[in-house]
Amino acid sequence: VAVDAALRTSDPDIYAAGDVAALQHPPFSPGLGSLRVEHWANALNGGPAAARAMLGKDLAYDRVPYFFSDQYDLGLEYSGWAPPGSYDQVVLRGNVGKREFVAFWLKDGQVLAGMNVNVWDVTDQIQQLIRTGLRPGTERLSDPTVPLGDLLEG
């Protein structure tokens, strides 16, 4: 179901949230069309946002898209949105061989998405990097000795 940034359909009295909502998501889909996130976190957060919009609150549902998955001994969390053709570089941080790393998708140095694989407690920093639009530089971004929080300081 196509919705605008306030989760409203083409009928101003009908809203949609969760897996069914194809959102015009300005921070994450400029020129790329709508975005659907098929994960329970989207339903958890989208429902209350749609309710606030129904009550007349002015809002834009602009949460950083997110999902996680656990596959046997591999756990991953993905934040942001970087469909094919939207990025020009992938930067790796950590040890891919040990399956403990973070991958970042960048466009012109800006972080569009990040996926932490068997690296925990970094999702908030990854989402902040995405949301702020900072360009931390690939050397610092790929260096695991530089805390992700330090990259937020510019």
Side-chain angles (χ1 to χ4, degrees):
V1 176
V3 297
D4 64 14
L7 302 171
R8 186 177 28 251
T9 68
S10 58
D11 182 320
D13 294 324
I14 299 176
Y15 294 75
D19 293 6
V20 72
L23 177 66
Q24 292 299 317
H25 207 308
F28 303 103
S29 63
L32 298 173
S34 60
L35 170 63
R36 283 184 60 231
V37 178
E38 297 180 29
H39 189 267
W40 63 263
N42 190 40
L44 178 74
N45 297 309
R52 287 191 299 278
M54 287 178 217
L55 293 171
K57 306 285 184 189
D58 187 27
L59 70 89
Y61 185 73
D62 64 353
R63 294 183 68 90
V64 174
Y66 167 85
F67 74 85
F68 75 89
S69 184
D70 291 315
Q71 304 293 322
Y72 301 97
D73 65 336
L74 188 72
L76 63 93
E77 294 175 290
Y78 179 91
S79 296
W81 194 43
S86 69
Y87 58 93
D88 56 25
Q89 186 176 19
V90 177
V91 174
L92 299 173
R93 172 191 190 98
N95 190 321
V96 175
K98 288 187 175 182
R99 297 166 51 158
E100 296 177 357
F101 65 95
V102 180
F104 295 97
W105 286 261
L106 286 74
K107 175 70 172 181
D108 299 325
Q110 181 179 344
V111 179
L112 302 177
M115 180 177 68
N116 45 306
V117 177
N118 289 338
V119 175
W120 306 111
D121 301 322
V122 295
T123 299
D124 288 343
Q125 292 96 341
I126 291 170
Q127 289 192 2
Q128 288 175 2
L129 279 170
I130 295 165
R131 186 169 291 289
T132 61
L134 292 173
R135 291 172 166 78
T138 56
E139 188 173 310
R140 292 183 69 213
L141 194 59
S142 65
D143 185 348
T145 66
V146 177
L148 287 175
D150 288 1
L151 300 176
L152 294 165
E153 297 170 5

